[in-house]
Amino acid sequence: MLAPAVGGALVALVGPEPTLAWDAASFAVAAFLCSRLDVAGPARTATVSVFRDFKEGWKEFSRLSWIWSYALSGTVVVALWLGGYQLLGPVIARNGHLGASSWGIVQGAFAAGLLLGGIVSLKWKPSRIMLVCVCANVPLALPFLALARGAPLPVLAGATVMAGIGLDIAIVCWNTAVQEQLPEVLGRVSSFSSAGELMSVPLGYLAVGAVATRLGTESVLLWSAVLMISASLALLLVPSVRAVRRLPAGTGPVVVAAATAVVAGERSPRGRNGRTPDQVARP
């Protein structure tokens, strides 16, 4: 929480170039510390095939609509968040009434929100884990609205705290859901989800920057907030998102008989592996 505030103060006092140089040096220190770790990975067998892993991962990813729909929504939310908050936020703070040093306070408030979200997640174990995950992404739009309306620093900081809380809760819920439901193909399925979100990042930066130059930052931030909220809440219309439940402690994924599985009001055909195409584990 202190690092963003210190960074903002350094930018205001000595400028961005020395601050970035100091930041680069910190990465070198981190790399040295990581090089001292002795971590042994599992031995790879001769039968492992990248193409087979890719095929199996894609098969599971495309089969589960709650996975790919959340990843699709994430491509929109992540691109707009980075383009609007990370790209336009510092520019608005520097050129507006807030000042460069205040952005460090805003970033510190966001870090405080992440910490509070982690504390909440330690205590709160929601059953409808994906519903909570979806709704927790909505507060990410609050800093956009505050920036667009030229809100004072305390209001903007409060908005970023709420965004941080929501984001951390969403991260915990998402990771818990995929680890419970897909333990055997977790890495392969997660790679597809991450790839979709990461590929949209450069497009988000380019699009937000270009549109802001033409229409102004206020319009871009307001529309970005609307799109982020819409992309998140649209997931509530996906039946399989509403169907995912947190498993009881110590319980592995449960295979539900196809005869009792109903997705979107219709019976889903049983796949060759004995599971329905959109089946989720339930207690």
Side-chain angles (χ1 to χ4, degrees), residues 70-250:
Y70 189 83
L72 184 61
S73 172
T75 60
V76 177
V77 173
V78 170
L80 293 177
W81 169 258
L82 293 177
Y85 180 77
Q86 300 281 43
L87 179 64
L88 297 183
V91 176
I92 295 172
R94 183 177 183 275
N95 297 336
H97 65 285
L98 296 175
S101 59
S102 64
W103 190 249
I105 297 176
V106 172
Q107 291 284 66
F110 182 66
L114 291 173
L115 176 62
L116 292 173
I119 295 174
V120 171
S121 297
L122 285 174
K123 299 294 184 180
W124 186 32
K125 312 293 183 183
S127 174
R128 292 179 174 267
I129 191 169
M130 282 304 298
L131 285 182
V132 172
C133 179
V134 168
C135 294
N137 281 307
V138 173
L140 287 174
L142 295 179
F144 285 62
L145 300 176
L147 285 169
R149 294 305 182 186
L153 181 58
V155 175
L156 177 58
T160 55
V161 168
M162 296 301 298
I165 293 174
L167 178 60
D168 203 79
I169 292 175
I171 290 173
V172 171
C173 288
W174 168 251
N175 282 287
T176 301
V178 295
Q179 289 178 40
E180 286 184 344
Q181 307 290 337
L182 305 168
E184 296 179 356
V185 289
L186 174 62
R188 282 164 283 180
V189 173
S190 297
S191 65
F192 283 103
S193 175
S194 299
E197 294 179 359
L198 293 176
M199 284 191 297
S200 69
V201 171
L203 297 177
Y205 279 127
L206 290 172
V208 168
V211 175
T213 302
R214 292 180 173 272
L215 302 181
T217 56
E218 180 179 349
S219 297
V220 171
L221 289 172
L222 289 176
W223 277 109
S224 295
V226 171
L227 289 175
M228 290 170 65
I229 294 173
S230 300
S232 296
L233 295 183
L235 293 172
L236 299 179
L237 302 176
V238 181
S240 58
V241 170
R242 303 194 302 269
V244 178
R245 301 290 195 277
R246 179 189 291 267
L247 299 182

